[in-house]
Amino acid sequence: MKALVTGFDPFGGDEVNPSSLAVSKLKKRIAGIAVHTVELPTSYAKSAGVLRAAIDKVRPDIVLCVGQAGGRSELCLERIGINVQDARIRDNDGKQPIDKPVVKEGPAAYFATLPIKACVAALRKAGLPAAVSNTAGTFVCNHILYSLMDIAQDHPAAFRGGFLHIPYVPEQVARLGAAPSMAVEDIVRGIEIILEVSAERTVDIQTVEGRIS
Ligand code: PCA
């Protein structure tokens, strides 16, 4: 079993991105899974190409992309990527697309294919705050979740994929001011648990994680 885990480089004027901080600390082998990592640029134009090249090279069974969601307090397993690019800020190429599709004439959305509810349950059992999220936003993280699942549609090597949005790390909140944060060690442990659960099961559990808003 092989896993590819990606993080993003810092964006929006920040000095670090907790996703690449955490991904760089992953062990090369977790519960029998060979773990490969790559950093993606926070760029609408370039990120999906770097991701596809890594998938072509590694030929993983599982792909987990990780990105920062400043302001969130939990490890958020994203359910869905939508075919929309609508940027509130510029990406690292200075681009700010408004209401553009990720893939012209692609489907409106793709679901992640990792067992997100089983992952959330296992994370909570390990004492880590976790949730199913029904929106990855409309910035580069949503773009990469949509692109990942679009690549999965016709890639010669079958893989399952998903996206994890993570809170700030404490050093960012020390600079930026009041917001929730999570220690990088806890984020690393969370990623390990997600990989273990995703390797173990292809079918998700049925638990109540729905939200009214
Ligand atoms: N978070 C951004 C893009 C890169 C990252 O780490 C997002 O949520 O879209």
Side-chain angles (χ1 to χ4, degrees):
M1 174 77 65
K2 275 188 273 183
L4 174 66
V5 187
T6 72
F8 279 103
D9 64 357
F11 66 98
D14 211 334
E15 288 164 26
V16 296
N17 188 320
S19 64
S20 48
L21 274 186
V23 168
S24 71
K25 290 183 191 298
L26 286 173
K27 295 194 211 88
K28 299 260 172 300
R29 215 169 175 85
I30 296 166
I33 310 161
V35 179
H36 300 257
T37 61
V38 68
E39 183 179 88
L40 304 179
T42 304
S43 152
Y44 282 105
K46 296 182 197 132
S47 52
V50 177
L51 176 63
R52 184 185 280 271
I55 291 170
D56 290 347
K57 189 170 148 217
V58 172
R59 296 180 90 81
D61 304 284
I62 293 167
V63 182
L64 178 67
C65 298
V66 186
Q68 162 187 310
R72 292 201 196 178
S73 55
E74 296 150 317
L75 297 170
C76 291
L77 270 303
E78 297 294 348
R79 190 195 297 262
I80 192 163
I82 61 176
N83 195 11
V84 173
Q85 302 179 135
D86 194 10
R88 188 175 47 82
I89 57 170
R90 292 177 189 279
D91 73 5
N92 286 352
D93 293 328
K95 294 287 185 323
Q96 190 173 4
I98 311 269
D99 296 347
K100 296 269 191 302
V102 180
V103 175
K104 229 186 247 173
E105 305 193 353
Y110 288 116
F111 288 118
T113 48
L114 298 183
I116 54 172
K117 290 187 171 179
C119 290
V120 166
L123 290 165
R124 288 191 191 136
K125 203 167 161 213
L128 296 168
V132 169
S133 163
N134 296 302
T135 175
T138 52
F139 194 46
V140 182
C141 287
N142 170 73
H143 170 93
I144 213 67
L145 174 54
Y146 186 93
S147 301
L148 171 66
M149 301 321 299
D150 191 62
I151 294 167
Q153 297 308 301
D154 55 9
H155 199 272
F159 64 85
R160 291 177 293 126
F163 194 95
L164 176 70
H165 254 136
I166 61 175
Y168 286 132
V169 285
E171 65 171 277
Q172 288 177 292
V173 179
R175 274 195 303 271
L176 300 170
S181 66
M182 189 180 284
V184 71
E185 294 75 20
D186 286 342
I187 299 171
V188 170
R189 178 81 194 111
I191 295 172
E192 287 172 358
I193 290 169
I194 292 165
L195 294 179
E196 283 169 29
V197 172
S198 300
E200 260 165 33
R201 61 161 62 239
T202 51
V203 179
D204 207 354
I205 58 172
Q206 280 197 304
T207 49
V208 178
E209 293 291 347
R211 288 184 184 189
I212 287 178
S213 60

